[in-house]
Amino acid sequence: IIGMFFQDGLTGSAWGDWALYTASPLRFFGGSSESYKSFDATTELGVQQPVGFWDPLGFSKDGNEANFNRRRSVELKHGRIAMAATMGYIVPEFVRLPGYLSPSEGLKFSDVPTGLTALSKVPALGWVQIAFFIGIVEGSFGFDDYKNGTPGQYGWKVLTSSDPAQKTKKLSAEIANGRLAMMAIIGMFFQDGLTGSAWGDWTLYTASPLRAFENELGVQDPVGFWDPLGFTADGDVLAFKRRRHVELKHGRICMLATMGYITPEIAGKFPGYLAPSTGLKFADIPNGLAAVSKVPALGWVQMVAYAGYCELSGPRTRAANTSDYAELAPGDFGFKVLTSSNPQELSKKLRAEIANGRLAMMAMMGMLFQDGLTGSAWGDWSLYTASPLRTHKA
């Protein structure tokens, strides 16, 4: 209803017909005379599928046609340069000119590498020629095209047609291809700078800090090496080992906890008494979080003692001191369950442990959350009587 109020206030219609929003700043300042013709950026070239009119930063909201034309002129120029540059990256991979680039220096076209490394091969006079050519282009064509209302028009035409629809199609294609080329050339620069190849061969990026960990256990399908928060970006091996140590411990605890949630639901309870002194039977213990209220005081003492034993009998480490992990194998507490004399089979088992531990950590949090809301780890909505949504239930 707020949206309909807003649209109705702007357009006079709750359905928001753009044609009715005559006061929009994007329409320039209105007016009926030819000397003060309204300007609508949404009807200009470049407004095309799939995004339509897209101006997230609001550059055209002031409705200033002159500013729009200047930006369009810059966009066209940059797009044309980027298209030429993109082709300049691609073509030498397949075709080279014969002969000499610089006969005086004995430099052949075939001697010039592709990509950014070609910059190191350009002779001094070559840079002079490039700067001179740019100056001619800028001085002859680069300043007045947008002032006369024809952005990108430099006195000669390549894309034209006597058919208005065909001409619009060609000019729209130029803008779209220029936008794509601007993204492409920046991507190729970036990949070339990292890998020495515009095609971004990862094996060539030897300086990547991620190379310290890309072959570690846990790098597996479907996401491969996945570190969206950049914990490993510093390449610190000891910090990685500490986090892997913690991950394995948490994963193992969660696998046990998940089975502890599921098993009593499927296999039932042990016979007899959990606490004979208090007359508490295993059958009296509910499943899930509700079981916490039934644990006798001595039961908590036993659990704390066992947890303390596990912590103290394991490797002595300090969270703030990663050097403690220098000689440790993450997850190795002196006994082995997952092992094999076959290295491939051992790797498979250890990878499975990490993957199952990650799944169990997610599963355990989900079951605790559902249990807390519904009283059941399986999340039966009918049991969630405290839901605020039930206030309005008919």
Side-chain angles (χ1 to χ4, degrees), residues 265 286-290 367 369-390 393:
E265 297 276 354
N287 295 324
L289 292 174
M367 289 194 289
F369 185 81
Q370 291 175 334
D371 197 347
L373 291 177
T374 68
S376 167
W378 322 124
D380 184 353
W381 172 256
S382 64
L383 300 176
Y384 185 18
T385 55
S387 169
L389 301 178
R390 290 193 180 277
K393 185 178 179 181

Side-chain angles (χ1 to χ4, degrees), residues 215 276 290-291:
N215 295 317

Side-chain angles (χ1 to χ4, degrees), residues 28 34 46 61 78 80 87 128 132 155 175 177 228 259 307 352 388:
F28 197 32
E34 288 298 319
K61 68 180 180 181
H78 289 176
R80 289 167 179 173
M87 292 305 298
V128 172
F132 184 67
I175 293 174
N177 291 339
M259 292 306 299

Side-chain angles (χ1 to χ4, degrees), residues 256-270 287 378:
L256 289 171
T258 301
M259 292 306 299
Y261 246 106
I262 295 173
T263 301
E265 297 276 354
I266 309 297
K269 310 287 179 67
F270 287 118
N287 295 324
W378 322 124

Side-chain angles (χ1 to χ4, degrees), residues 34 68 97 152 300 357:
E34 288 298 319
F68 177 87
L97 293 175
W300 286 110

